[in-house]
Amino acid sequence: MPIRLSRWSPGVRLACLCALLAWFPVRADELRQARYAGTLGPQRIGLILDVAGQKVAPSRYYYYRHLVDIPLTSELHDGTFILHEPDATMTLHFVGNGSEDGEALDFNNSVGLEGQWTNGKVTLPVKMQGGGLFSAAPAGHWYQSITDETDALFEARTKGFCTAVAKGDSALAARYVHFPLRVNHGAGKHEQIRDASQLTAQWKRLFTPDLVSRIAMESPHSMAIVQGYAMLGDGLVFFSDKGAEVINLP
């Protein structure tokens, strides 16, 4: 049964999503993860920090333009993260919005990370939004709760759908949809798109320039898992092992 979300507020961003995910309880001995999205210089990046107890385990980040993981060895010293890749280092610290009320910032009361990246020759600012800690997926099988297939195969469909939407190609997008496609509007209203022909007929009405732009801005890589679905961004599209099943209009 697809997720029955009537609408996600445009103001809800990744920090709120991570706080929601962090609500689900985890054992003290579990490997946990914190997710961030933001910029490294002019480039958009995603960062996933693995946390084991009070220590930061080997982690990873990726550029949105490539969606290829770059492994990081990680250190945490007095609230400062030192993240090493083969030829560069990121140094990041928690940032808050004042609601921490004088408490030391951590994964759960911060709203992101800021700092810099340097390779010894070039230094660039890093600004990330996100936070919270949630249960980690096993290495190499992020989507194990959705499918037995490899992450690469699963993400090939999500990337295919996003690429087709960016191109405005309804026929191509339909190849990555599991019909009927549920489209949620505001105020609890929704409709069902029964097949590829109806999707093409309703394409311009549903996939407005604003929705296309929002989808293009999100990363179909290491997506959050919510109620057995992979969630693009803050709830724009939900994917099952068969393809896109739910779209929430902005």
Short mmCIF file of all heavy atoms in Angstrom, two decimals, residues 28 64 68 96 119 132 137 162 209 244:
data_model
loop_
_atom_site.label_atom_id
_atom_site.label_comp_id
_atom_site.label_asym_id
_atom_site.label_seq_id
_atom_site.Cartn_x
_atom_site.Cartn_y
_atom_site.Cartn_z
N ALA A 28 21.76 1.02 21.53
CA ALA A 28 22.98 1.77 21.80
C ALA A 28 24.16 1.22 21.01
O ALA A 28 25.10 1.94 20.71
CB ALA A 28 23.28 1.76 23.29
N TYR A 64 26.53 15.78 -6.34
CA TYR A 64 25.26 15.53 -7.02
C TYR A 64 25.45 15.29 -8.51
O TYR A 64 24.69 14.56 -9.13
CB TYR A 64 24.31 16.71 -6.81
CG TYR A 64 23.51 16.65 -5.53
CD1 TYR A 64 24.08 16.19 -4.34
CD2 TYR A 64 22.18 17.06 -5.49
CE1 TYR A 64 23.36 16.14 -3.16
CE2 TYR A 64 21.45 17.02 -4.32
CZ TYR A 64 22.04 16.56 -3.15
OH TYR A 64 21.32 16.51 -1.99
N VAL A 68 28.58 9.41 -7.10
CA VAL A 68 29.54 8.34 -6.82
C VAL A 68 30.14 8.59 -5.44
O VAL A 68 30.65 9.67 -5.17
CB VAL A 68 30.66 8.29 -7.89
CG1 VAL A 68 31.70 7.25 -7.51
CG2 VAL A 68 30.08 7.99 -9.26
N GLY A 96 23.87 25.70 14.89
CA GLY A 96 22.53 25.68 15.44
C GLY A 96 21.73 26.88 14.95
O GLY A 96 22.22 27.72 14.21
N ASN A 119 42.57 20.88 -0.29
CA ASN A 119 43.51 19.87 -0.80
C ASN A 119 44.95 20.37 -0.69
O ASN A 119 45.86 19.82 -1.31
CB ASN A 119 43.19 19.52 -2.26
CG ASN A 119 43.31 20.71 -3.19
OD1 ASN A 119 43.71 21.81 -2.79
ND2 ASN A 119 42.96 20.51 -4.46
N GLY A 132 20.38 14.66 13.15
CA GLY A 132 19.69 13.50 13.68
C GLY A 132 20.47 12.23 13.40
O GLY A 132 21.36 12.21 12.54
N ALA A 137 21.86 1.35 7.27
CA ALA A 137 21.71 0.19 6.40
C ALA A 137 23.05 -0.52 6.30
O ALA A 137 24.10 0.09 6.43
CB ALA A 137 21.25 0.64 5.01
N CYS A 162 13.99 10.42 -12.64
CA CYS A 162 14.35 11.82 -12.46
C CYS A 162 14.89 12.44 -13.75
O CYS A 162 14.58 13.59 -14.08
CB CYS A 162 15.37 11.96 -11.34
SG CYS A 162 14.73 11.54 -9.70
N PRO A 209 6.62 23.41 -14.07
CA PRO A 209 8.03 23.81 -13.98
C PRO A 209 8.56 23.78 -12.55
O PRO A 209 9.71 23.42 -12.31
CB PRO A 209 8.02 25.23 -14.56
CG PRO A 209 6.89 25.21 -15.54
CD PRO A 209 5.83 24.36 -14.89
N ALA A 244 8.33 4.35 -9.27
CA ALA A 244 7.67 5.46 -8.58
C ALA A 244 6.21 5.10 -8.32
O ALA A 244 5.49 4.69 -9.23
CB ALA A 244 7.77 6.72 -9.43
#
